[in-house]
Amino acid sequence: MFNALIVEKDDEGVTSAGVQQIDESRLPDGDVTVAVEYSTVNYKDGLCLGKGGGLVRNYPHVPGIDFAGTVESSDDPRYAPGDKVVLTGWRVGEAHWGGYAQKARVKADWLVPLPNGLDTRQAMAVGTAGFTAMLSVMALQDHGIKDGPVLVTGAAGGVGSVATAILANLGYEVAAVTGRPETSDYLKDLGANQIVAREELNETTKRPLEAETWGGCVDAVGGAMLARVLGQMKYGASVAAVGLAGGAGLPATVVPFLLRGVNLLGIDSVMQPYENRLRAWSQIATNLPMEKLESMIRPAVLSDLPALGREILSGQIKGRIVVDVNN
Ligand code: NDP
């Protein structure tokens, strides 16, 4: 028997979440059984824990879109008992039972061996949000980051915090956009050189182009802010579009693409091929200072999750929540 946070749906379609003791025979099919050590709370988890079950595709369900732990048994030659592994994506925690449990059974293809230099807790302090931040920085570098500050929107959140720390550590000047002025010191400690107030970029303008300001951008917010940022990018610069914390619409014009050659790069962490995941995790272990990662962590346990799901949807979480599933 082991502990799991189970989401159930009643006959009226109302969902509820609670910690239960369940038997291993209830785990879904898969090649590898993992003794989970840590998971996290991402925006998608907030949706799955919330009213109506969000992205959950089957009930009862164990949410948790990422986890890190130790292989307990494996039918796949790539993994042996005792191996440390990390998982993000592949609709785990949505269509397949996820990381909010002391055990998980998944396809071997979805796993990545933990890179040297990261333990399971650190891997989940990074989690899906930080992994996506790394993919974003890699995409910007592949397209060339121009002179000038790199903008990070939603900077005090999970993606934004890790992106800020990685970019600063790589030597880029970072401008961090936040709607919470009280997080300024935290963002400066992560390496931000400049704090930009959210309101400055949320104001709409009729001008499709403004002064060329940003050499690149990791955007976790979308909506009106992304539209405004596109018109402020330097010639040929790129925006890695990650999220929609500020809205799914995009009230933009094509002018920044036509007259400034701006690149809008969509970042999807879910279906990344194995080689890309391996490369990103190895870059994280190399380029993310662990003392900065520590400053982002808020610890939690399984029974905290329903409340934390509501909190992340309200945009109030600072940094990364690390869930110790064994406490
Ligand atoms: P968080 O909730 O941790 O961070 C989001 C941040 O956005 C908040 O902390 C806040 O930052 C800012 N924000 C929130 N609401 C608004 C608003 N209405 N207008 C402007 N800014 C706002 O979430 P994550 O960092 O984990 O994820 C961010 C986004 O990225 C989400 O939409 C998520 O679904 C998406 N995502 C996408 C992935 C992919 O594969 N493409 C993977 C992971 C996440 P501040 O207070 O500093 O302003």
Side-chain angles (χ1 to χ4, degrees), residues 43 132 154-159 178-180 198 220-221 242-246 267 269 312:
Y43 197 85
T132 308
V159 173
T178 184
R180 290 179 279 174
R198 185 192 292 179
V221 168
V242 174
L244 41 63
I267 305 298
S269 64
I312 198 160

Side-chain angles (χ1 to χ4, degrees), residues 238-289:
S238 303
V239 177
V242 174
L244 41 63
L250 184 57
T253 76
V254 292
V255 176
F257 308 111
L258 303 182
L259 298 186
R260 294 231 177 112
V262 171
N263 303 302
L264 184 57
L265 312 173
I267 305 298
D268 171 40
S269 64
V270 177
M271 308 305 275
Q272 286 292 324
Y274 178 76
E275 289 308 323
N276 290 6
R277 279 180 282 143
L278 209 56
R279 182 175 158 227
W281 279 107
S282 135
Q283 294 278 322
I284 287 164
T286 312
N287 292 314
L288 180 58

Side-chain angles (χ1 to χ4, degrees), residues 151 198-211 214 222-233 250-252 256:
L151 194 69
R198 185 192 292 179
E199 305 82 62
E200 270 182 48
L201 290 172
N202 261 348
E203 281 169 22
T204 49
T205 172
K206 288 209 170 78
R207 296 164 58 201
L209 294 177
E210 299 181 75
W214 315 115
M225 189 181 292
L226 172 57
R228 181 90 191 260
V229 165
L230 288 171
Q232 300 180 350
M233 300 305 295
L250 184 57

